[in-house]
Amino acid sequence: MGPAPHQPRGRWREFAVRLAFELLVVFIGVYAASALAEYEQERARAERRHQVRLALIREIEGLTANTRTAAENLGRLLADYDSLTVAGIRPPLDQLVWLEPVRIQPHVWEATLQGGALELLDVSTIYRLSEFYNEFNLGLAQIEQLRESTQRLLLPNSGRGPDAFYDASGELRPAYAWHVSGLRRLQALAASITERGTDLVAELRAAEGMDSAAER
């Protein structure tokens, strides 16, 4: 009769141990499931970040290829113009015209903004991307403004000869000086966009562990 009173306590201890074990199993299962879900989410974010970076690299390389060409062509055009004016020749301004509209849209950047993908990138990269695309859009606006002014103010007088554009001393008349100065600003802006974009591509490639000189 002596040991009987201890049996309920023994069963309670056994029940408590079993309960604790079951709770531990549940906790481990919940924690493991949570950790797995977090891992899967982070892996998905990393893959999306990878895709966004690659898309931006391709777009920026394409844009800077155009701005590099524009900067080089405008540089040569303006150098020829300066050489002629230094030699006392009054070159016709209708040779310095920009008539073709530029239809280049940064679709990847716009999709990145609208799709909320900026949160995948660090603040420094976002800032540099914003700087690049803002400057690029400024360049597009200047091209369109110069093109419109050329068509409206310059071309209607292109058949009047040099005297319509230059004064007796060979200087451009104030009514047309905007044209050459506008081309100079555009050339400098194209060169700046190219340099900024080249640096940005190198930064994005480094973040991806890519060789900056490697082919796409």
Side-chain angles (χ1 to χ4, degrees):
M1 298 298 293
H6 297 285
Q7 290 178 0
R9 181 178 299 178
R11 287 197 298 271
W12 182 89
R13 184 180 297 109
E14 180 182 350
F15 171 76
V17 171
R18 185 183 303 112
L19 178 61
F21 178 75
E22 291 176 353
L23 289 175
L24 179 61
V25 170
V26 171
F27 174 78
I28 293 175
V30 171
Y31 178 80
S34 176
L36 178 60
E38 185 177 346
Y39 168 76
E40 292 292 343
Q41 290 176 357
E42 183 54 36
R43 188 171 66 173
R45 283 174 56 85
E47 177 60 24
R48 190 178 177 207
R49 184 184 301 113
H50 170 71
Q51 295 299 330
V52 167
R53 282 174 177 161
L54 291 185
L56 286 169
I57 287 172
R58 287 192 292 268
E59 179 168 87
I60 295 171
E61 285 179 334
L63 296 178
T64 53
N66 285 285
T67 57
R68 182 178 293 104
T69 299
E72 291 172 352
N73 289 342
L74 283 172
R76 285 192 292 267
L77 194 68
L78 290 167
D80 291 343
Y81 175 83
D82 291 338
S83 297
L84 291 173
T85 55
V86 167
I89 300 173
R90 298 179 297 173
L93 292 186
D94 55 6
Q95 294 182 4
L96 296 172
V97 296
W98 194 303
L99 296 179
E100 292 298 324
V102 178
R103 296 186 178 92
I104 302 176
Q105 294 296 324
H107 296 296
V108 173
W109 174 242
E110 292 173 0
T112 301
L113 292 175
Q114 297 173 8
L118 280 184
E119 66 180 17
L120 300 171
L121 305 173
D122 60 88
V123 175
S124 175
T125 301
I126 294 172
Y127 179 76
R128 289 167 64 81
L129 283 166
S130 298
E131 281 189 322
F132 171 79
Y133 281 101
N134 287 340
E135 192 170 34
F136 179 80
N137 288 329
L138 176 62
L140 292 182
Q142 288 202 10
I143 288 174
E144 184 58 27
Q145 181 181 20
L146 187 61
R147 190 178 73 87
E148 190 276 334
S149 297
T150 298
Q151 291 180 322
R152 182 169 55 89
L153 302 174
L154 182 61
L155 291 185
N157 298 309
S158 60
R160 295 175 55 191
D163 290 340
F165 305 108
Y166 298 90
D167 59 24
S169 65
E171 297 292 328
L172 270 176
R173 298 185 185 279
Y176 302 103
W178 57 266
H179 185 68
V180 176
S181 62
L183 289 175
R184 295 193 194 282
R185 286 194 298 272
L186 189 59
Q187 193 274 336
L189 185 57
S192 175
I193 294 170
T194 302
E195 181 179 1
R196 191 186 297 275
T198 300
D199 291 343
L200 187 52
V201 165
E203 178 181 325
L204 291 170
R205 282 183 171 275
E208 283 295 307
M210 301 166 61
D211 183 356
S212 61
E215 294 293 331
R216 296 196 304 272

